[in-house]
Amino acid sequence: MTKTKWVGTDVTRIDAKDKVCGTLEYMSDLSFPNMIYGAVLRSKYPHALIKKIDTKRAKELDGVVTVLTHEDVPGLNGFGIAIPDQPVLCRDKVRYMGDAIALVGAESKEIAEQALELIEVEYEPLPIVDDPEEAMLDTSPLVHETGNIHNHVKIERGDVEAAFNEAYVVVENTYFTPRQMHAFLEPESGVATIDDDKNITIWCGGQHPYRDQLQVARALGMNPRKIRIINTPAGGAFGGKDEITVQIYLALLVLHTDRPAKIVLSREESVIAGMKRHPMKIYMKTAAAADGTILANEVRVVSDTGAYASLGGPVIGFAIEHSCGAYRVENVRLEGFCVYTNNGVAGAFRGFGANQVTFAVETQVDMIAEKLGMDRLEIRKKNGLRKGDIAALGHKMEASVGLLRTLEAAENSRLWQLREELKAKPGAPHKKRGIGIACSFQGCGLGKGLPDYGAATIELLPNGQFAVGVSCPEIGQGNTTAFVQIAADYIRCSIDDIVMLSGDTGHTLDSGTSTASRSVYTGGNALKLAAGNLHSAISTLAAEILSVPESDIDIEYGSAVSKSCPEKTVSFKKIAELMVERGKTIKGEGYFIWPVSETELEGYVGIPHLLYSYITQIALVEVNTLTGETEVLEAVSVPDPGKAINPQGVEGQSEGGVVMGMGYALTEDTIIEEGITLTRNFSTYILPTSLDMPCEIETIIAEELEPSGPFGAKGIGEAVCVPISPAITNAIHDACGVWMKQIPATPERVYTALKSKEVP
Amino acid sequence: MKVNVCLFGPMQKYGDKDKFQMEFEEGATLANLLDRLKIEDRIYIVILINGRRAYDEDEPLSDGAEVLIMAPTGGG
Amino acid sequence: MTLGFIRPETVYEAMEFLSEHKDNSRIVAGATDVMVQMRSAKSTGHAEEKPLWMVDITNIPGLSYVNFENGIVRIGAMTTHRDIARSAVIRDVVPFLADACRSVGSPQIRTRGTIGGNIVNASPAADSLPPLTALSARLRLISRKGPRDVALEEFFKGPYRTIIEPDEILEEVYFEAPESSSGCAFLKLGRRESLAIARLSVAVLLDVDESGKISKAAIAPGACLPMPARITSAEEALIGEIPNEEAVHSASLEVGEEMVRVSGVRWSTEYKKPVVCALTKRAIWKALGVDED
């Protein structure tokens, strides 16, 4: 492995100072002269026909600049990453309360909001469908004419029935998971400008500027090259800004008014209109032999994608791929449905379908261990995937597999070693302590079926610094800092000499999404190639300067050196000066395409994956048996990110992930009843606060280097929030003997479970 | 010149096969290829030529080039 | 909805304005409830149609204080939760009120929100109300017609409804300081550690005489009754008893029974009834000096 100066060290985040001091300008902080403010009219009903839209009174209001409807969408009136089934502005039908019907541009935010009240819409309410399983019936109202089942995945391997028959133990359960909210601090917001040639620039937090560009272009019927998208920085995204949010509305406003425009959604509007994690109902029947070998798994998942598809199709595929956990299972019958309802919209969310099924399968594994009297860690080690194993979908684990490494590190952690002692710690008699463990894997990249590509640029600047461009946006995960470290070690320069360009179609090539735990791996690999090309260009000029053949040039940190005559050196700064003098540019571009699994699943795109990150997490909880309250006292998180480019960054992701997964396990759920969102802000949507966090989260990084990754790196952004949820619910069982089959494990649910069981 | 074309996902409807070869006169551009395949939606499309994203339709084709055509997508 | 905003500088000015705009004005102090309610109404499409005057009384001096004289504790209506939680008098004389005020929302909310607002808003889940009820607090209301004093328990008509007249301002809340031999406790069950609206709470104030018997008892639960009230049947179960598990248990059961009797059986009753009993039990023991947590 190459010796590194920056990679593997705790370099301070490049945006740390501005974020800590509050000086960083997010998109909603930007303003332009003569700017108008936009507001969106959302539907009054979760399901209705639109009979008439009258904007006359709104248009007459003083200070209103424009009121737009479906008639004003010049291109395709739809958006959606996979299929454009969501109208930009609804014409004849609304399918959820967040559906947009009209768009107002006004001199102030207040006037824009006032104008919304003056728009008259005549609706004919339709019967709603809010239960995904009912939605699958022929008798159900149709959300879309094409039918309510958006995607169906079915994969069978081996002989499930035979395995169930010969099994020593079979556990069969149905699990329910909540509609978790991304709850980014910065709600969906942005600004846009338009120039005299109708070139549009949009600043809007997002996760793939080049795809935003195409979606906006499609709705505007414009050449994408006339639209510039800037996605960095985003004040949090977690998948919730992967889909279009307000970009098209901003574009429509500037297009129709020739003035800059700004839209900032209120928290309530963000909650109602924005993406959520798919609630799933998961039936799972798992068989094991007397020695704990998992023999078979039968899974049926029904996923509620709400009114529109977004990435609901790929999410159910991903869920099925991960539904047998990070284990060898030879006999599987896996079926998943992604179903339309009038319940909001669901889409990408950190974990991408793995969270739901991991909760189910990790509970099943603990149940099996209990029935067999087996150690919970041992059963995981016994069945856990190793390199070369065949995973549930029948694909070979060809890349680095760090599961065992994470399990072993978890086993050696203080929390696991002292578990009996910690559990027995004297507390109040009505409080019971328990320890839970869970592990998982997380597919990185977009999977088999579509090329997952990326690019990067490095350019020597006149002052001797390097402009490094990767378009995968900074959404708070710290990828720009990782790119700076990776670039500095590939270029061989100081991190202080790097000017990072991120998330901007105007200044970076298309590097794909900041999703799928893919950006560090993709950007890093593209940077490696770009640095190689940059070095060639540097060598050419250095050879001229030093009067040595190009092949004699070696690149050291900060300079080019003659191999044969090491005293002959020229600094990058000097090379830059001469580059300017001679009117040259020195630049390297790198293009990278992901390797994929050899296994192809006929008819499916996005599964299986070749590369996975692995993780084991442990939770120590205390359950108050009088109230059902669960407190997570401590947690251990053992991720395998491949090479940790920035260990502190991995720790940050790990700690944030633990708390996000804790909220999923214990408190968070967006309640929608009959299509109406009840939890509209953070007073009723219960996010954990700093006081709810475990007093200690220990992160142990278990690096299993991935040969194809930059310096051995994979990705870790998602896995960190996944197995902690079942680790917590398994800990609840360990504490007081009840299995939580529905999360969040609220005090009521825990209490009810306790009551029906009676604490021993 | 001969160009190798590969269609992915929803774009597969534009070819009888997913992978095939097409022949063009010298000087042909990506636009000619898209015309020949009768691809109508040319906005929401991603094309890689020899691994590089082609941003414009007037990008020239070269002999032996590998052209991958797909719809944008996403993932976890 | 059209909003008017006025910030009177004196109590007199405020009373003048209120008497002129009786039908369409609303007093705001910390605005920690009012703003939330207005946003919620807007997002659910239930915003008031008619114009509304917001009468901001934060500039009026002299309404924020904690006084302790002649055995009476007086708290100005504009005193913030933060100031009450930190008040040496409150912490010393009625620590359970300090605990209750410290459990309100978050530091930001406690710094803005006032006890007067907490009382007048009349939320069944208001944190300061159970201890104030247990203390048999009284309120002083003022208007151009002059002051009037009412008992806290007579102030409420129902959830979010009180007998305050549109032209009246709450000036202060006051109560007799309990005997120094007494013990008190406030316990709250929320959905999280901070920024949590009470799902259940209970305030207990007890006094034990020289013979070791409970001589006085006040028990006021929160978030389970439409309006604050003491549960006399629970109190009676304790009075005259030397503290024992059985008496404490039956007192706690009375609280649960009363909750069901007043609020009826709801989907949450199956959970709330046993849990309010458990909470009451722990609060009683805590007030007696036995803290199990």
Side-chain angles (χ1 to χ4, degrees):
Chain A
M1 200 46 57
T2 329
K3 207 169 148 5
T4 61
K5 199 167 172 178
W6 310 107
V7 164
T9 68
D10 291 338
V11 166
T12 302
R13 284 181 68 118
I14 60 169
D15 50 1
K17 191 175 171 220
D18 282 343
K19 282 185 171 170
V20 169
C21 297
T23 48
L24 184 75
E25 289 197 319
Y26 289 94
M27 305 318 189
S28 54
D29 296 318
L30 305 178
S31 281
F32 295 93
N34 203 31
M35 187 170 77
I36 59 169
Y37 295 81
V40 183
L41 180 71
R42 307 282 174 183
S43 173
K44 204 174 163 184
Y45 298 95
H47 200 192
L49 296 176
I50 298 173
K51 305 311 269 185
K52 198 178 149 198
I53 306 169
D54 186 349
T55 60
K56 190 165 171 289
R57 283 179 60 213
K59 280 178 174 158
E60 284 167 0
L61 182 70
D62 257 2
V64 169
V65 181
T66 188
V67 182
L68 306 174
T69 65
H70 62 91
E71 291 172 355
D72 305 298
V73 181
L76 178 82
N77 184 12
F79 66 94
I81 295 170
I83 53 164
D85 62 351
Q86 181 158 3
V88 175
L89 292 168
C90 295
R91 181 175 60 89
D92 54 355
K93 189 176 173 179
V94 287
R95 298 177 178 86
Y96 85 116
M97 298 284 284
D99 255 330
I101 296 160
L103 176 63
V104 173
E107 299 294 345
S108 75
K109 193 171 159 58
E110 290 72 25
I111 296 171
E113 283 172 6
Q114 209 185 330
L116 293 183
E117 293 170 24
L118 300 174
I119 299 170
E120 290 161 22
V121 184
E122 233 177 78
Y123 298 92
E124 183 187 316
L126 295 170
I128 65 156
V129 51
D130 60 358
D131 180 289
E133 287 202 296
E134 267 173 38
M136 289 165 70
L137 305 174
D138 292 339
T139 49
S140 170
L142 285 179
V143 182
H144 292 271
E145 282 167 15
T146 47
N148 288 342
I149 298 177
H150 167 62
N151 194 16
H152 178 212
V153 181
K154 194 169 184 183
I155 288 165
E156 283 198 64
R157 258 182 78 232
D159 188 341
V160 178
E161 297 308 330
F164 282 134
N165 288 335
E166 73 186 49
Y168 183 79
V169 53
V170 175
V171 289
E172 185 178 8
N173 291 288
T174 302
Y175 299 89
F176 297 88
T177 65
R179 185 181 283 106
Q180 191 180 24
M181 194 192 301
H182 304 74
F184 22 69
L185 278 181
E186 174 204 44
E188 300 85 339
S189 51
V191 290
T193 60
I194 188 164
D195 69 13
D196 293 341
D197 298 324
K198 301 283 178 197
N199 292 302
I200 295 174
T201 304
I202 300 170
W203 289 261
C204 178
Q207 301 186 235
H208 188 182
Y210 275 95
R211 196 184 52 216
D212 286 1
Q213 180 186 53
L214 299 188
Q215 291 224 55
V216 173
R218 180 168 62 177
L220 266 55
M222 257 171 86
N223 181 348
R225 300 299 272 168
K226 291 184 76 68
I227 297 160
R228 178 177 165 201
I229 305 275
I230 301 158
N231 275 167
T232 298
F238 306 110
K241 292 174 185 169
D242 200 13
E243 186 57 88
I244 284 293
T245 58
V246 297
Q247 295 91 328
I248 298 175
Y249 302 130
L250 289 167
L252 286 172
L253 285 176
V254 300
L255 187 71
H256 284 280
T257 65
D258 277 323
R259 291 174 64 176
K262 179 174 194 163
I263 298 177
V264 180
L265 297 196
S266 69
R267 181 60 62 185
E268 291 87 345
E269 190 176 5
S270 166
V271 171
I272 293 164
M275 290 289 159
K276 304 288 177 295
R277 189 186 296 291
H278 288 82
M280 292 186 188
K281 178 180 174 183
I282 303 159
Y283 163 84
M284 201 174 278
K285 185 176 174 186
T286 314
D291 68 352
T293 305
I294 299 172
L295 299 174
N297 201 22
E298 183 179 354
V299 179
R300 184 178 185 271
V301 183
V302 178
S303 169
D304 181 357
T305 203
Y308 299 103
S310 189
L311 287 174
V315 166
I316 192 68
F318 198 95
I320 291 302
E321 177 181 352
H322 292 74
S323 66
C324 296
Y327 305 113
R328 288 179 304 279
V329 188
E330 286 179 13
N331 305 291
V332 300
R333 183 188 291 147
L334 314 172
E335 188 170 27
F337 297 90
C338 172
V339 183
Y340 288 123
T341 67
N342 300 114
N343 293 333
V345 283
F349 193 163
R350 194 183 200 183
F352 209 70
N355 320 61
Q356 296 91 328
V357 293
T358 302
F359 162 60
V361 73
E362 285 299 287
T363 309
Q364 296 278 101
V365 168
D366 256 31
M367 288 179 177
I368 291 169
E370 187 187 53
K371 286 195 186 234
L372 296 174
M374 216 175 150
D375 182 80
R376 294 172 287 166
L377 211 141
E378 285 308 316
I379 193 171
R380 289 177 167 83
K381 276 162 67 173
K382 184 175 183 65
N383 292 284
L385 287 167
R386 290 147 171 88
K387 193 172 157 92
D389 279 352
I390 303 296
L393 298 194
H395 60 301
K396 196 171 173 187
M397 305 307 284
E398 295 160 290
S400 77
V401 180
L403 181 71
L404 268 290
R405 195 185 281 272
T406 69
L407 283 165
E408 281 156 15
E411 186 171 15
N412 292 324
S413 70
R414 188 189 69 93
L415 202 53
W416 189 257
Q417 288 297 320
L418 300 181
R419 61 190 183 283
E420 293 310 323
E421 201 177 307
L422 290 166
K423 272 170 63 177
K425 265 211 170 156
H430 59 278
K431 289 185 173 176
K432 307 276 181 207
R433 285 184 172 194
I435 291 225
I437 188 167
C439 61
S440 70
F441 66 152
Q442 183 79 30
C444 301
L446 304 182
K448 182 95 174 180
L450 294 180
D452 189 356
Y453 61 92
T457 51
I458 307 173
E459 187 174 358
L460 180 61
L461 299 171
N463 66 357
Q465 291 189 312
F466 296 91
V468 169
V470 181
S471 72
C472 304
E474 171 66 75
I475 54 176
Q477 80 280 50
N479 66 355
T480 46
T481 305
F483 292 144
V484 166
Q485 291 176 260
I486 291 169
D489 270 332
Y490 281 137
I491 297 169
R492 292 187 201 121
C493 67
S494 164
I495 52 164
D496 298 327
D497 285 334
I498 291 191
V499 178
M500 186 67 212
L501 307 170
S502 163
D504 181 348
T505 60
H507 288 303
T508 52
L509 298 173
D510 185 2
S511 326
T513 60
S514 274
T515 69
S517 306
R518 70 178 286 289
S519 81
V520 163
Y521 179 87
T522 311
N525 270 321
L527 281 170
K528 183 181 184 178
L529 298 164
N533 293 329
L534 176 89
H535 284 173
S536 305
I538 288 178
S539 299
T540 307
L541 194 56
E544 272 181 60
I545 297 163
L546 300 175
S547 310
V548 296
E550 210 176 306
S551 59
D552 188 46
I553 296 291
D554 205 6
I555 305 290
E556 288 188 351
Y557 277 89
S559 58
V561 185
S562 161
K563 285 183 219 168
S564 57
C565 190
E567 63 271 23
K568 282 190 171 181
T569 72
V570 55
S571 70
F572 291 158
K573 199 166 165 35
K574 188 76 192 165
I575 293 172
E577 280 169 22
L578 290 163
M579 169 187 82
V580 175
E581 253 179 57
R582 299 183 189 184
K584 293 190 174 181
T585 55
I586 292 182
K587 197 174 168 176
E589 291 182 355
Y591 295 89
F592 175 74
I593 294 189
W594 277 63
V596 290
S597 169
E598 281 173 15
T599 305
E600 191 169 333
L601 298 163
E602 186 69 34
Y604 298 113
V605 166
I607 54 171
H609 290 73
L610 175 73
L611 210 64
Y612 297 86
S613 43
Y614 297 83
I615 184 159
T616 299
Q617 290 174 319
I618 305 173
L620 169 68
V621 308
E622 189 168 83
V623 179
N624 183 330
T625 56
L626 297 178
T627 61
E629 291 167 288
T630 302
E631 189 182 349
V632 180
L633 303 173
E634 281 187 54
V636 172
S637 177
V638 191
D640 158 30
K643 176 72 186 173
I645 302 295
N646 187 323
Q648 194 181 56
V650 173
E651 282 166 24
Q653 284 289 295
S654 167
E655 289 169 14
V658 163
V659 177
M660 190 172 245
M662 183 184 98
Y664 189 56
L666 295 178
T667 55
E668 294 183 41
D669 194 3
T670 312
I671 311 287
I672 300 182
E673 275 179 14
E674 296 186 348
I676 296 166
T677 307
L678 303 183
T679 47
R680 290 168 184 238
N681 59 43
F682 294 157
S683 65
T684 47
Y685 183 83
I686 309 297
L687 287 167
T689 68
S690 55
L691 293 183
D692 299 283
M693 283 178 61
C695 38
E696 190 174 333
I697 302 172
E698 186 190 7
T699 296
I700 303 165
I701 302 173
E703 294 179 338
E704 183 79 33
L705 299 190
E706 166 52 38
S708 72
F711 299 101
K714 297 189 277 194
I716 202 57
E718 295 174 281
V720 286
C721 76
V722 177
I724 186 66
S725 310
I728 289 168
T729 49
N730 285 343
I732 292 174
H733 177 264
D734 190 45
C736 55
V738 295
W739 294 113
M740 300 313 300
K741 297 177 193 172
Q742 180 167 16
I743 48 173
T746 57
E748 289 95 323
R749 288 190 180 129
V750 173
Y751 185 83
T752 307
L754 277 168
K755 238 181 104 179
S756 58
K757 187 189 169 286
E758 285 311 334
V759 197
Chain B
M1 60 178 165
K2 286 185 173 132
V3 174
N4 299 306
V5 180
C6 208
L7 304 175
F8 289 92
M11 290 295 155
Q12 288 170 343
K13 67 181 176 210
Y14 294 108
D16 299 333
K17 287 189 287 183
D18 302 343
K19 268 184 178 176
F20 48 90
Q21 211 169 49
M22 292 173 80
E23 214 165 327
F24 292 95
E25 303 264 302
E26 280 304 315
T29 64
L30 187 55
N32 302 125
L33 186 150
L34 298 176
D35 287 344
R36 182 104 58 91
L37 289 175
K38 297 193 173 63
I39 295 179
E40 286 143 24
D41 173 14
R42 298 204 192 165
I43 295 183
Y44 200 63
I45 185 172
V46 168
I47 298 161
L48 304 180
I49 301 179
N50 295 329
R52 299 173 183 219
R53 169 102 194 261
Y55 300 98
D56 293 304
E57 282 188 20
D58 52 15
E59 205 143 318
L61 299 172
S62 58
D63 191 39
E66 195 186 31
V67 180
L68 312 184
I69 303 176
M70 60 183 138
T73 185
Chain C
M1 178 179 55
T2 318
L3 272 185
F5 185 83
I6 183 161
R7 186 179 274 166
E9 300 289 331
T10 64
V11 175
Y12 182 77
E13 205 185 310
M15 292 190 304
E16 285 284 298
F17 189 89
L18 287 170
S19 67
E20 277 165 36
H21 300 86
K22 270 185 196 162
D23 302 331
N24 60 343
S25 52
R26 181 146 190 206
I27 296 175
V28 275
T32 54
D33 282 315
V34 174
M35 288 306 292
V36 173
Q37 285 157 6
M38 284 173 61
R39 275 186 76 129
S40 166
K42 193 171 139 192
S43 91
T44 48
H46 294 108
E48 286 272 345
E49 290 290 327
K50 63 179 183 185
L52 185 70
W53 281 102
M54 307 291 283
V55 183
D56 176 4
I57 58 170
T58 47
N59 265 18
I60 299 176
L63 289 177
S64 170
Y65 53 83
V66 175
N67 289 337
F68 183 27
E69 270 174 23
N70 304 326
I72 305 285
V73 178
R74 295 179 183 276
I75 305 174
M78 287 291 294
T79 314
T80 63
H81 299 295
R82 174 181 180 272
D83 286 347
I84 296 170
R86 291 178 169 209
S87 157
V89 168
I90 301 296
R91 288 164 66 153
D92 182 39
V93 179
V94 279
F96 71 156
L97 180 59
D99 289 348
C101 289
R102 195 179 302 110
S103 82
V104 171
S106 60
Q108 293 92 329
I109 292 172
R110 291 194 290 275
T111 303
R112 284 201 65 83
T114 64
I115 192 156
N118 205 226
I119 295 167
V120 177
N121 184 54
S123 161
D127 291 316
S128 70
L129 292 180
L132 289 175
T133 306
L135 288 162
S136 300
R138 293 177 65 79
L139 307 175
R140 167 153 291 196
L141 307 169
I142 49 171
S143 72
R144 281 208 313 188
K145 285 170 277 178
R148 63 167 175 148
D149 286 22
V150 294
L152 186 71
E153 283 203 53
E154 283 158 23
F155 182 66
F156 301 100
K157 288 199 287 192
Y160 303 99
R161 287 168 55 231
T162 71
I163 60 160
I164 196 165
E165 294 293 335
D167 60 348
E168 278 183 314
I169 299 175
L170 172 64
E171 188 182 30
E172 68 174 18
V173 53
Y174 60 95
F175 49 84
E176 237 174 83
E179 303 284 334
S180 57
S181 57
S182 67
C184 63
F186 172 79
L187 291 179
K188 169 174 166 178
L189 178 73
R191 291 189 191 273
R192 59 186 160 199
E193 291 295 318
S194 176
L195 279 163
I197 298 164
R199 295 217 57 216
L200 283 171
S201 64
V202 63
V204 174
L205 177 64
L206 298 173
D207 203 357
V208 180
D209 65 19
E210 284 153 11
S211 65
K213 286 182 180 161
I214 296 171
S215 54
K216 285 181 190 164
I219 298 178
C224 60
L225 301 173
M227 48 189 164
R230 284 170 54 176
I231 313 292
T232 43
S233 56
E235 295 166 359
E236 282 161 9
L238 292 176
I239 290 173
E241 295 282 339
I242 290 174
N244 65 84
E245 184 59 36
E246 200 182 323
V248 172
H249 183 69
S250 58
S252 77
L253 287 183
E254 290 297 335
V255 175
E257 291 301 329
E258 182 69 4
M259 177 188 87
V260 175
R261 196 183 65 75
V262 177
S263 302
V265 174
R266 304 177 182 194
W267 68 268
S268 57
T269 305
E270 206 179 324
Y271 173 73
K272 277 191 155 187
K273 189 180 170 192
V275 174
V276 79
C277 294
L279 211 60
T280 305
K281 247 194 210 179
R282 277 165 53 215
I284 294 170
W285 281 119
K286 193 179 171 193
L288 289 164
V290 184
D291 193 352
E292 283 194 335
D293 285 305

